[in-house]
Amino acid sequence: MATPHIGAEPGDFAPDVLMPGDPRRAQRIAETVLTDARLVTEVRGILGYTGTFDGRPVSVLASGMGIPSISIYATELFRFYGVERIIRIGTAGGMAPHLEVGDVVIAHAAHTDSSIVGNKIPQIHFSAAATFSLTAAAAEAAGISPGKPARAAPPSDAAGTRRRRRKNGRVYVGAVLSSDVFYANRPEVNEALVAHGTLAVEMEAAGLYAVAAQEGKQALAICTISDLLFREASLSAAERELLFDRSVALGLAAFANA
Ligand code: HPA
């Protein structure tokens, strides 16, 4: 039985799902990272695949953009397809001044202006938080451990030169803003968020965390910094895909070790 937005049969999805925003990224992960991946849904062009990685079943399904979209797909996966853990693999705009394009943010918490998350429980400001075990496993895969500053060079850097490490970016654990508005013009809000330690802005993590909490399941978002809010910076398409692959590797390590 398919759901309104997913055309797969029960059992078509693995318990662990990677979730990029872009359907073409889902296809690319399936074709280049997973083994024996097969297409399990393509409703509305939101492509989903199931294969294996290191012998473990893993699925990948695109989320589309924004909290309403990711909430639909996450709810249907958790509620109707037996999915237990979703890791969003996305991009984010760097807010904190020390972030550079290519850095990675493991989002342990997600502030939001979304009313469907913020007003989830009447009279309560809902705290959208990632699952600890997934967060800890992703951080450990990036070489971050308690007692050390919450940032590190990603794992593929271990034997690299300083220049390579700078080019490859660093990994941080911290809070993001999950905004409902991409073209927002509110510098004072952004400044206050940065003053309160917020690292980056994206548009889905808080929705994913709220759905996981509601369904009693697990979730995490790992975001590659693709642009900077307060400075000019850019990545070529090839660089962006390379950096994106490293977030995928952290997500797969989190699934294997959490
Ligand atoms: N804003 C919101 N979402 C984003 C951004 C941004 O600047 N960059 C990548 N995702």
Side-chain angles (χ1 to χ4, degrees):
M1 181 213 69
T3 57
H5 307 92
I6 300 175
E9 294 301 314
D12 275 347
F13 278 93
D16 293 340
V17 179
L18 291 175
M19 193 168 259
D22 180 348
R24 278 182 305 190
R25 284 230 168 90
Q27 182 179 14
R28 202 173 150 273
I29 292 168
E31 288 173 353
T32 64
V33 181
L34 301 186
T35 302
D36 294 335
R38 65 188 175 95
L39 184 71
V40 294
T41 180
E42 53 184 337
V43 176
R44 288 175 180 253
I46 294 288
L47 305 177
Y49 299 83
T50 296
T52 63
F53 181 78
D54 267 356
R56 299 166 48 89
V58 176
S59 294
V60 53
L61 177 72
S63 69
M65 287 181 283
I67 286 174
S69 187
I70 199 168
S71 300
I72 288 169
Y73 294 107
T75 300
E76 292 183 10
L77 288 178
F78 284 143
R79 204 177 283 177
F80 302 114
Y81 288 98
V83 169
E84 294 294 326
R85 308 190 290 187
I86 296 176
I87 299 184
R88 162 169 154 71
I89 303 290
T91 55
M95 297 177 88
H98 59 281
L99 287 189
E100 302 285 349
V101 289
D103 287 347
V104 170
V105 173
I106 298 169
H108 67 45
H111 310 303
T112 188
D113 53 8
S114 156
S115 59
I116 61 173
V117 175
N119 300 335
K120 192 159 192 49
I121 300 170
Q123 299 176 44
I124 297 301
H125 294 276
F126 184 81
S127 293
T131 301
F132 176 74
S133 56
L134 289 176
T135 312
E140 194 178 338
I144 299 168
S145 57
K148 283 207 273 174
R151 59 169 191 262
S156 58
D157 277 347
T161 62
R162 272 187 72 190
R163 198 184 132 271
R164 222 181 110 215
R165 181 172 304 139
R166 201 159 54 236
K167 191 167 160 232
N168 280 351
R170 291 177 174 276
V171 183
Y172 297 86
V173 179
V176 298
L177 168 66
S178 298
S179 175
D180 271 352
V181 189
F182 186 88
Y183 294 106
N185 183 17
R186 44 187 188 193
E188 65 296 336
V189 172
N190 290 337
E191 273 171 35
L193 283 160
V194 171
H196 287 74
T198 311
L199 296 180
V201 55
E202 50 84 77
M203 303 187 76
E204 292 84 14
L208 174 61
Y209 296 173
V211 168
Q214 176 182 302
E215 301 296 320
K217 307 286 183 163
Q218 302 187 18
L220 175 64
I222 303 174
C223 296
T224 302
I225 301 301
S226 59
D227 55 275
L228 300 176
L229 250 59
F230 304 119
R231 267 186 291 143
E232 279 298 314
S234 66
L235 283 175
S236 71
E239 279 174 322
R240 200 162 43 229
E241 292 310 319
L242 200 71
L243 293 161
F244 198 75
D245 283 351
R246 293 165 349 128
S247 287
V248 172
L250 289 180
L252 288 166
F255 280 147
N257 301 322

